[in-house]
């Protein structure tokens, strides 16, 4: 039986959705032009007025917004309502420069939680479930978003936050958690800990909603096998709203974008040219229903593909592929573009653990790439000759994928620091990181 949280929107006719987007875009552009000085200045400098925006067909005329612009206007520069209307903030987890602070009215929180509820129902969630939320709470959006979505669905919600793995597993087993929400790297850590303690038969999870990091199909297969669940992708970012911008359905073949709230575009990251559906490029998102902090044509830096192909689940919402990397996480090594997700795919396809680190350096003016990956206990007990052979095999497979030859180092089990939030996969020691 197909199940939806808001079928009238999730299964709306494409023409009806386009008409709704047109209406909301026109109103949003007019409002931010009148209320946000930065938008007015950007539009004026580009020679665009609100009167020139009649529908989504005119979206390409509007200027882009970047994270740098948000930082430059910190804290209140992009706020589009009186501060007295704001009930909450969230903030990015960036470690350099000024943070980005996103503002929410109560209406913004309600629509965000509805988007997360759609994701939970698409993963089989209902009021009969126990939703185990291990995303971080506080300024990070993950915990709050999925917590609110779970409440909307009517499920029993465990607001675990990240960390304290002992307690996570205790509550998971004692209360019978059925849906796990966390980063894929933390899910892998939970799976490893559960396995080491021989508690796999006490786990009742049926679904996992994993996001906040790029992850591969190979990691999906590992998590489904190790935790006995169906693993769903979810996408969001603080600047736009948080998790729930898009979500996977039971087909697990791309994430449906909540088009009644967000308009996605794919652009050439070098030129800004809008690309047709099916072509890979940078995702740009426009908020059309948010009140406090609506962003127009925000450059996410995430690389993906959009598709309007019909989905067997019955949802008509456009799909975005799983993330293929980021324009700002892309490593350029000896002139070759390398994404960490490519390396992960090779490792997991070869039967390695999901615990790895990528170390980039520059030695005598030449870029170096080292991939450190943990062995399983069975591999560690192997002979030195066999371990060396595995390193050579992985090196050859990565060279085939990346067009450059990395150094692969197999590490002892549990020697790489575990993550209880977003995993730190890349250490770039080059000056400036490039």
């Amino acid at each position: 039986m197909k199940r939806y949280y808001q079928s009238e929107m999730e299964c709306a006719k494409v023409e009806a959705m386009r008409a709704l987007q047109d209406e909301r875009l026109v109103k949003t552009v007019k409002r931010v032009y009148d209320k946000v000085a930065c938008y007015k200045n950007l539009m004026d400098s580009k020679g665009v007025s609100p009167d020139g925006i009649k529908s989504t067909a005119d979206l390409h005329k509007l200027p882009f917004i970047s994270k740098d612009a948000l930082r430059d206007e910190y804290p209140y520069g992009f706020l589009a309502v009186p501060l007295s209307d704001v009930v909450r903030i969230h903030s990015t987890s960036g470690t350099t420069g000024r943070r980005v602070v996103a503002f929410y009215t109560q209406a913004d929180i309600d629509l965000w939680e509805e988007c997360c509820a759609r994701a939970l129902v698409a993963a089989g969630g209902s009021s009969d479930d126990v939703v185990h939320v291990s995303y971080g709470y506080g300024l990070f959006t993950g915990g709050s978003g999925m917590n609110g979505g779970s409440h909307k669905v009517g499920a029993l919600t465990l607001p675990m936050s990240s960390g304290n793995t002992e307690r996570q597993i205790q509550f998971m087993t004692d209360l019978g958690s059925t849906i796990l929400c966390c980063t894929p790297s933390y899910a892998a850590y939970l799976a490893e800990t559960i396995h080491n303690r021989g508690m796999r038969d006490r786990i009742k999870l049926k679904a996992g909603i994993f996001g906040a990091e790029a992850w591969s199909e190979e990691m999906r297969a590992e998590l489904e096998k190790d935790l006995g669940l169906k693993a769903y992708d979810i996408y969001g970012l603080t600047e736009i709203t948080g998790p729930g911008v898009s979500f996977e359905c039971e087909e697990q073949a791309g994430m449906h974008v909540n088009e009644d709230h967000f308009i996605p575009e794919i652009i050439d990251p070098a030129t800004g040219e809008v690309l047709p559906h099916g072509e890979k490029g940078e995702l740009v998102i426009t908020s059309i229903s948010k009140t406090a902090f609506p962003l127009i044509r925000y450059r996410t830096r995430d690389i993906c593909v959009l598709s309007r192909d019909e989905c067997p689940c019955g949802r008509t919402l456009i799909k975005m592929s799983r993330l293929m990397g980021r324009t700002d996480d892309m490593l350029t090594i000896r002139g070759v573009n390398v994404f960490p997700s490519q390396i992960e795919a090779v490792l997991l396809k070869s039967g390695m653990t999901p615990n790895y680190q990528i170390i980039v350096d520059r030695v005598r003016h030449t870029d170096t790439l080292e991939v450190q990956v943990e062995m399983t206990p069975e591999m560690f007990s192997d002979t030195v000759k066999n371990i060396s052979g595995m390193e050579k095999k992985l090196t050859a497979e990565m060279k085939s994928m990346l067009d450059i030859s990395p150094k692969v180092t197999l590490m002892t089990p549990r020697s790489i620091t575990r993550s209880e939030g977003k995993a730190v996969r890349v250490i770039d020691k080059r000056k400036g990181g490039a």
Side-chain angles (χ1 to χ4, degrees):
M1 174 180 165
K2 296 184 176 72
R3 301 187 66 249
Y4 316 101
Y5 182 70
Q6 293 169 318
S7 60
E8 71 280 5
M9 288 299 175
E10 295 175 61
C11 304
K13 291 185 181 299
V14 174
E15 298 78 12
M17 181 63 73
R18 180 61 55 83
L20 178 63
Q21 289 181 327
D22 290 344
E23 177 188 344
R24 289 183 171 179
L25 175 66
V26 170
K27 288 181 179 178
T28 300
V29 170
K30 177 71 165 65
R31 190 162 62 84
V32 298
Y33 185 86
D34 292 339
K35 302 291 186 181
V36 181
C38 184
Y39 271 121
K40 183 179 188 303
N41 294 336
L42 284 169
M43 289 174 65
D44 287 348
S45 67
K46 200 171 180 184
V48 183
S49 74
D51 293 339
I53 306 301
K54 306 294 187 184
S55 70
T56 53
D58 298 316
L59 187 59
H60 69 281
K61 300 176 182 177
L62 293 164
F64 294 114
I65 295 295
S66 68
K67 182 170 280 193
D68 286 342
L70 300 183
R71 289 188 178 123
D72 289 344
E73 295 296 320
Y74 171 91
Y76 294 123
F78 274 86
L79 184 59
V81 297
L83 194 58
S84 58
D85 291 349
V86 175
V87 299
R88 191 193 298 173
I89 70 160
H90 284 283
S91 179
T92 59
S93 56
T95 56
T96 60
R98 292 176 174 177
R99 281 180 168 266
V100 171
V101 175
F103 299 89
Y104 299 74
T105 63
Q106 186 57 53
D108 294 333
I109 290 173
D110 288 341
L111 78 83
W112 175 24
E113 292 179 348
E114 287 174 357
C115 289
C116 291
R118 292 179 189 180
L120 280 162
V121 173
S126 73
S127 58
D128 296 326
D129 282 293
V130 178
V131 178
H132 191 109
V133 184
S134 295
Y135 288 113
Y137 282 67
L139 289 175
F140 181 61
T141 56
S144 296
M146 298 311 297
N147 189 98
S150 179
H151 284 187
K152 293 280 189 187
V153 172
L156 173 60
T157 309
L158 307 188
M160 302 302 300
S161 194
S162 56
N164 200 333
T165 301
E166 295 280 345
R167 185 175 62 194
Q168 299 271 1
I169 296 173
Q170 177 190 346
F171 275 74
M172 188 178 290
T173 54
D174 291 351
L175 296 176
S177 302
T178 56
I179 299 178
L180 173 64
C181 305
C182 64
T183 62
S185 57
Y186 189 52
Y189 181 37
L190 283 169
E192 178 185 37
T193 307
I194 289 166
H195 172 77
N196 289 342
R197 292 178 189 173
M199 301 178 71
R200 176 66 180 77
D201 60 344
R202 296 183 59 191
I203 301 300
K204 299 179 181 178
L205 293 172
K206 68 177 186 181
I209 300 178
F210 305 131
E213 303 171 334
W215 53 302
S216 63
E217 285 296 326
E218 289 76 17
M219 179 168 270
R220 188 205 298 271
E222 289 282 321
L223 292 174
E224 291 189 335
K225 174 175 65 73
D226 293 344
L227 289 170
L229 47 70
K230 191 166 182 176
Y232 296 84
D233 207 351
I234 190 170
Y235 176 77
L237 58 169
T238 301
E239 299 91 328
I240 297 299
T241 194
V245 171
S246 64
F247 60 92
E248 273 191 327
C249 64
E250 65 264 27
E251 298 300 317
Q252 296 175 298
M255 293 174 280
H256 291 283
V257 180
N258 284 310
E259 291 185 272
D260 48 329
H261 301 304
F262 314 105
I263 302 175
E265 301 172 271
I266 295 293
I267 65 167
D268 181 320
T271 67
E273 175 192 2
V274 179
L275 300 176
H277 294 168
E279 290 200 25
K280 181 171 72 173
E282 180 184 346
L283 178 66
V284 172
I285 298 178
T286 295
S287 302
I288 53 173
S289 57
K290 287 187 66 179
T291 52
F293 198 70
L295 296 187
I296 294 176
R297 302 201 83 197
Y298 181 71
R299 295 189 62 160
T300 68
R301 301 296 180 185
D302 289 319
I303 302 295
C304 68
V305 173
L306 292 178
S307 170
R308 186 62 81 178
D309 293 346
E310 184 177 342
C311 185
C313 79
R315 291 176 180 83
T316 53
L317 301 169
I318 196 170
K319 279 186 178 180
M320 57 179 276
S321 68
R322 69 163 53 251
L323 300 186
M324 301 171 179
R326 286 178 57 84
T327 59
D328 53 359
D329 282 352
M330 181 178 71
L331 299 166
T332 303
I333 301 170
R334 300 196 292 275
V336 177
N337 294 335
V338 175
F339 290 103
S341 56
Q342 295 173 302
I343 291 172
E344 178 181 285
V346 171
L347 293 175
L348 296 184
K349 195 172 286 184
S350 300
M352 305 306 298
T353 73
N355 304 309
Y356 66 93
Q357 216 153 44
I358 300 163
I359 301 171
V360 185
D361 206 346
R362 184 165 287 144
V363 179
R364 292 188 292 275
H365 309 294
T366 301
D367 292 339
T368 62
L369 172 63
E370 180 182 5
V371 179
Q372 297 180 347
V373 58
E374 282 185 15
M375 291 179 279
T376 64
E378 294 76 21
M379 292 175 183
F380 183 55
S381 63
D382 219 330
T383 65
V384 173
K385 180 179 178 181
N386 286 347
I387 291 173
S388 176
M390 283 190 285
E391 289 176 337
K392 290 178 181 176
K393 180 174 180 288
L394 286 169
T395 297
E397 290 173 350
M398 287 190 193
K399 183 177 181 181
S400 176
M401 166 73 81
L402 307 173
D403 292 329
I404 62 171
S405 184
K407 175 186 178 184
V408 176
T409 304
L410 296 183
M411 311 289 288
T412 57
R414 303 193 63 78
S415 59
I416 293 176
T417 303
R418 299 298 191 265
S419 167
E420 294 184 336
K422 287 190 179 183
V424 179
R425 298 296 196 193
V426 179
I427 300 174
D428 196 337
K429 299 181 178 180
R430 297 172 296 182
K431 185 176 181 180

